[in-house]
Amino acid sequence: MSTGLRYKSKLVNPEEKQELLAERLLSPRTQAQRSHPVKLKDHEKQYVGFATLPNQVHRKSVKKGFDFTLMVAGESGLGKSTLVNSLFLTDLYKDRKLLNAEERISQTVEILKHTVDIEEKGVKLKLTIVDTPGFGDAVNNTECWKPITDYIDQQFEQYFRDESGLNRKNIQDNRVHCCLYFISPFGHGLRPVDVEFMKALHEKVNIVPLIAKADCLIPSEIRKLKERIREEIDKFGIKVYQFPDCDSDEDEEFKQQDRELKESAPFAVIGSNTVVEAKGQRVRGRLYPWGIVEVENQAHCDFVKLRNMLIRTHMHDLKDVTCDVHYENYRAQCIQQMTSKLTQDNRIESPIPILPLPTPDAETEKLIKMKDEELRRMQEMLQKMQQQMQDQ
Ligand code: GDP
């Protein structure tokens, strides 16, 4: 209890003391104002202070910063890198080396990670893009999604391990929160490889299917392709990311936006790394001899809808679904395997292979030695002090 209140408790009766406490919780007044208790209105007396909880959470989260891991997959050349750069206004692919046809024949699917720290109005976001070059490029694409499913499982496994370990405070979460899957605009719907990919991943990650390079199609073709893809997704039992239901107390404008968002899926997108001049304004777009396609023009494509969904409205939900549904599934499977192994063998054996501990580098070793030395000195000092006390 603060000294200020104890001092006043000598002067005021218990009821006034309660009011004084409520007043202190209610508003950050100056010390001078506090020394003259004011009578509170009845509704103010009920105020405990937990209404500030959202502010506390907000402050803490902003201080900590946010992270988001986005995977992009689809045949090469469908505009994945261009779209990611257009979405986050960065150049994540500066050092990319493009392979020729001969090199691509022997290439296997790779997993590449790019991380950027972006900041907007004091809010920091650590964005990780997981790229999957080589997917769908080989002559034989049987199981070409395997390295991708393995990668997602490995991130779950690492998280499970860290969560069950000693240092749970500093867990690095590398789980994939969303996978943008690029569908070719040139086909008549989904290709077998698209179906197989999505079926292999839909229980592990939030899949958002996209129609790539939508400027290659006229509006009626886009409508037809979208319909076809939606039908095939249903027919093959593919579970793509479901946008959550809109709260009934939301305003009409928000509800309308939510309806449009759901009706637009799968989003037909256009990407561009260049800024062009259209109607006197500088816009991100693609300049053709017959006109300009604007990336952020909602009449031209669904880029803005995708960006709003991914960044402004559903980023948190994507993370929640990853954690509460996909990771929970993985975790439950792991625990189930552990338990069945235990009943079979009557001894616990982890189904997760034990990773070898990393060998510390020279710098870490030096630090450990210094800490050991410090501990030894402290122990010596303690012994001396104990000896002195016994002697007295
Ligand atoms: P990735 O291999 O999937 O990463 O594809 P890139 O982003 O490297 O794009 C391959 C080519 O397609 C490049 O020449 C891009 O300029 C072009 N491209 C990218 N996005 C679009 C688009 O939306 N429409 C059209 N027509 N071309 C695009």
Side-chain angles (χ1 to χ4, degrees):
M1 188 64 70
S2 83
T3 48
L5 197 67
R6 228 184 266 157
Y7 163 68
K8 282 192 190 83
S9 68
K10 288 180 191 163
L11 307 172
V12 295
N13 62 38
E15 208 184 314
E16 282 176 311
K17 204 166 106 184
Q18 277 301 317
E19 285 183 4
L20 202 66
L21 185 64
E23 182 209 7
R24 287 182 57 183
L25 288 167
L26 198 62
S27 58
R29 286 166 190 270
T30 62
Q31 200 59 41
Q33 279 172 306
R34 267 191 225 132
S35 56
H36 302 287
V38 199
K39 279 267 177 204
L40 292 176
K41 291 180 196 110
D42 273 355
H43 75 277
E44 284 176 338
K45 277 186 199 167
Q46 319 251 312
Y47 188 91
V48 180
F50 53 77
T52 66
L53 270 174
N55 298 351
Q56 293 176 37
V57 174
H58 173 88
R59 273 225 314 273
K60 208 170 164 186
S61 321
V62 170
K63 214 167 135 194
K64 199 168 151 222
F66 298 84
D67 55 63
F68 189 71
T69 301
L70 178 71
M71 177 179 261
V72 283
E75 202 186 317
S76 77
L78 281 183
K80 300 185 292 296
S81 332
T82 313
L83 191 90
V84 167
N85 285 342
S86 312
L87 278 173
F88 299 101
L89 302 178
T90 53
D91 188 4
L92 276 157
Y93 297 85
K94 280 188 283 277
D95 313 316
R96 184 168 66 148
K97 185 180 167 271
L98 291 172
L99 304 180
N100 61 33
E102 193 186 1
E103 288 167 322
R104 290 226 303 264
I105 290 175
S106 54
Q107 193 207 9
T108 48
V109 179
E110 259 186 286
I111 305 286
L112 293 181
K113 258 170 78 171
H114 311 262
T115 302
V116 274
D117 290 302
I118 30 187
E119 192 172 334
E120 196 179 76
K121 293 186 183 170
V123 178
K124 292 187 203 107
L125 173 72
K126 181 171 161 257
L127 172 74
T128 306
I129 304 289
V130 181
D131 204 353
T132 55
F135 171 78
D137 288 351
V139 177
N140 179 359
N141 283 313
T142 319
E143 299 237 311
C144 66
W145 50 88
K146 188 86 177 53
I148 303 174
T149 52
D150 286 350
Y151 177 83
I152 294 175
D153 280 343
Q154 276 159 19
Q155 308 319 305
F156 282 153
E157 183 187 318
Q158 189 61 51
Y159 194 85
F160 185 52
R161 218 183 269 284
D162 290 348
E163 210 184 30
S164 336
L166 283 175
N167 189 8
R168 289 167 25 125
K169 228 174 156 186
N170 300 312
I171 296 182
Q172 229 202 326
D173 185 4
N174 289 317
R175 293 172 296 182
V176 181
H177 302 120
C178 177
C179 171
L180 298 181
Y181 186 72
F182 287 65
I183 298 164
S184 167
F186 308 117
H188 297 283
L190 297 178
R191 294 169 310 157
V193 69
D194 299 331
V195 176
E196 291 306 318
F197 175 90
M198 289 198 266
K199 278 175 79 171
L201 267 86
H202 66 178
E203 305 271 16
K204 296 174 190 290
V205 69
N206 296 310
I207 301 177
V208 175
L210 303 178
I211 298 177
K213 298 189 173 180
D215 52 328
C216 301
L217 303 172
I218 57 168
S220 62
E221 288 170 333
I222 290 186
R223 261 196 310 278
K224 243 163 85 188
L225 186 58
K226 279 188 178 189
E227 236 165 70
R228 184 98 195 227
I229 293 173
R230 278 198 288 259
E231 275 167 26
E232 286 177 336
I233 282 177
D234 263 4
K235 186 172 133 198
F236 293 109
I238 298 167
K239 293 178 225 147
V240 294
Y241 171 62
Q242 291 299 314
F243 303 117
D245 290 337
C246 185
D247 288 337
S248 52
D249 59 349
E250 290 289 0
D251 60 53
E252 219 18 74
E253 194 188 336
F254 187 88
K255 282 182 184 164
Q256 178 61 24
Q257 275 178 13
D258 188 64
R259 262 194 301 275
E260 282 174 19
L261 183 81
K262 286 170 184 160
E263 282 163 9
S264 306
F267 303 122
V269 292
I270 298 170
S272 167
N273 285 334
T274 46
V275 175
V276 291
E277 196 150 333
K279 293 174 219 137
Q281 281 194 332
R282 312 230 340 123
V283 293
R284 212 164 244 262
R286 305 184 70 81
L287 176 66
Y288 292 104
W290 51 88
I292 290 170
V293 190
E294 295 166 38
V295 169
E296 296 186 31
N297 186 333
Q298 302 227 38
H300 293 188
C301 74
D302 301 324
F303 174 86
V304 171
K305 284 200 186 79
L306 170 71
R307 189 179 58 189
N308 283 349
M309 183 285 286
L310 207 56
I311 303 171
R312 295 190 186 172
T313 53
H314 290 67
M315 188 178 264
H316 213 272
D317 187 64
L318 285 160
K319 291 183 77 168
D320 280 350
V321 177
T322 305
C323 191
D324 303 342
V325 181
H326 302 305
Y327 175 64
E328 267 318 296
N329 281 345
Y330 175 86
R331 199 170 159 273
Q333 270 172 26
C334 261
I335 293 171
Q336 215 170 24
Q337 279 177 33
M338 273 168 150
T339 338
S340 63
K341 259 233 146 54
L342 179 70
T343 42
Q344 268 173 25
D345 304 357
N346 208 15
R347 66 194 159 92
I348 297 177
E349 223 179 78
S350 168
I352 322 167
I354 306 295
L355 286 178
L357 280 174
T359 351
D361 56 25
E363 193 59 34
T364 321
E365 227 160 347
K366 207 169 117 194
L367 212 77
I368 294 173
K369 269 197 189 136
M370 270 168 61
K371 291 277 167 207
D372 276 349
E373 189 57 32
E374 206 178 305
L375 260 175
R376 197 186 52 75
R377 276 204 306 272
M378 279 171 78
Q379 271 170 344
E380 271 179 17
M381 239 167 72
L382 261 175
Q383 272 171 358
K384 266 189 205 158
M385 280 164 77
Q386 275 172 342
Q387 191 61 46
Q388 275 173 4
M389 278 165 76
Q390 275 169 9
D391 290 351
Q392 278 171 8

